């Protein structure tokens, strides 16, 4: 059985990143390398909130980012996910934006994803900030 990977918004957007700063070029390179060489080894899933962020975001090549996600399975936003999001925010695991990072983490957790693939190093991929439960 393949490991399940939740693809968060930053992955397709970085696949088509156009900024020239070395850090951005490197992330684009690594994103494309992972997608082209390793994505087929996993069950890739995403959600409608990711696609909505891609549709409404203000960045170049969003049309291509959406096309990259076209055949990725969408996991459902079940009613229980709202409670999980509220718990993450209440316990300060995630920032108080119920349609942002907490939602992505809740979706990946609820649907038993083995990995959440992201370039969001402020909240989702930041071990120093992640578990600040009071």
């Amino acid at each position: 059985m393949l490991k399940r990977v939740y693809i968060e918004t930053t992955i397709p957007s970085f696949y088509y990143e156009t900024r020239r700063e070395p850090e951005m070029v490197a992330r684009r390179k690594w994103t494309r390398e992972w997608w082209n060489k390793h994505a087929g080894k996993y069950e890739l899933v995403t959600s409608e909130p990711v696609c909505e962020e891609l549709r409404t975001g203000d960045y170049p090549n969003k049309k291509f980012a959406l096309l990259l996600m076209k055949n990725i399975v969408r996991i459902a936003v079940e009613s229980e996910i709202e409670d999980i999001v509220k718990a993450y925010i209440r316990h300060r695991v995630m920032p108080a934006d119920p349609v942002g990072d907490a939602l992505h983490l809740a979706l990946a957790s609820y649907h038993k994803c083995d990995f959440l693939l992201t370039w969001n190093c402020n909240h989702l991929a930041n071990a120093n900030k992640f578990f600040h439960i009071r």
Side-chain angles (χ1 to χ4, degrees):
M1 186 168 185
L2 297 176
K3 299 274 186 178
R4 179 179 274 192
V5 178
Y6 180 88
I7 305 295
E8 186 264 342
T9 314
T10 58
I11 300 304
S13 64
F14 263 102
Y15 191 96
Y16 290 103
E17 180 59 58
T18 60
R19 289 176 280 183
R20 300 283 182 222
E21 296 87 357
E23 177 182 311
M24 299 301 136
V25 171
R27 285 185 183 184
R28 180 183 65 221
K29 177 184 177 276
W30 296 328
T31 301
R32 288 177 177 181
E33 182 178 315
W34 185 89
W35 196 274
N36 296 329
K37 293 182 180 178
H38 304 287
K41 300 173 188 173
Y42 301 94
E43 175 192 1
L44 303 183
V45 298
T46 193
S47 64
E48 190 51 40
V50 165
C51 295
E52 184 62 22
E53 286 178 18
L54 289 170
R55 275 191 291 278
T56 60
D58 184 23
Y59 53 90
N61 296 318
K62 68 179 175 180
K63 176 178 130 181
F64 295 111
L66 280 162
L67 284 172
L68 188 67
M69 303 299 282
K70 183 180 178 185
N71 295 319
I72 306 299
V73 172
R74 307 298 193 269
I75 55 176
V77 181
E78 306 288 351
S79 58
E80 296 88 352
I81 293 187
E82 183 179 340
D83 293 333
I84 298 168
V85 168
K86 287 177 183 176
Y88 288 162
I89 292 170
R90 183 176 61 251
H91 292 289
R92 299 184 179 175
V93 174
M94 298 301 294
D97 177 6
V99 296
D101 301 335
L103 178 60
H104 295 305
L105 181 60
L107 284 162
S109 301
Y110 181 84
H111 288 282
K112 297 179 177 29
C113 294
D114 299 289
F115 305 101
L116 190 161
L117 194 61
T118 184
W119 279 116
N120 180 336
C121 299
N122 287 326
H123 303 115
L124 292 173
N126 186 336
N128 294 319
K129 289 186 178 181
F130 191 69
F131 291 106
H132 287 186
I133 299 173
R134 292 183 182 168

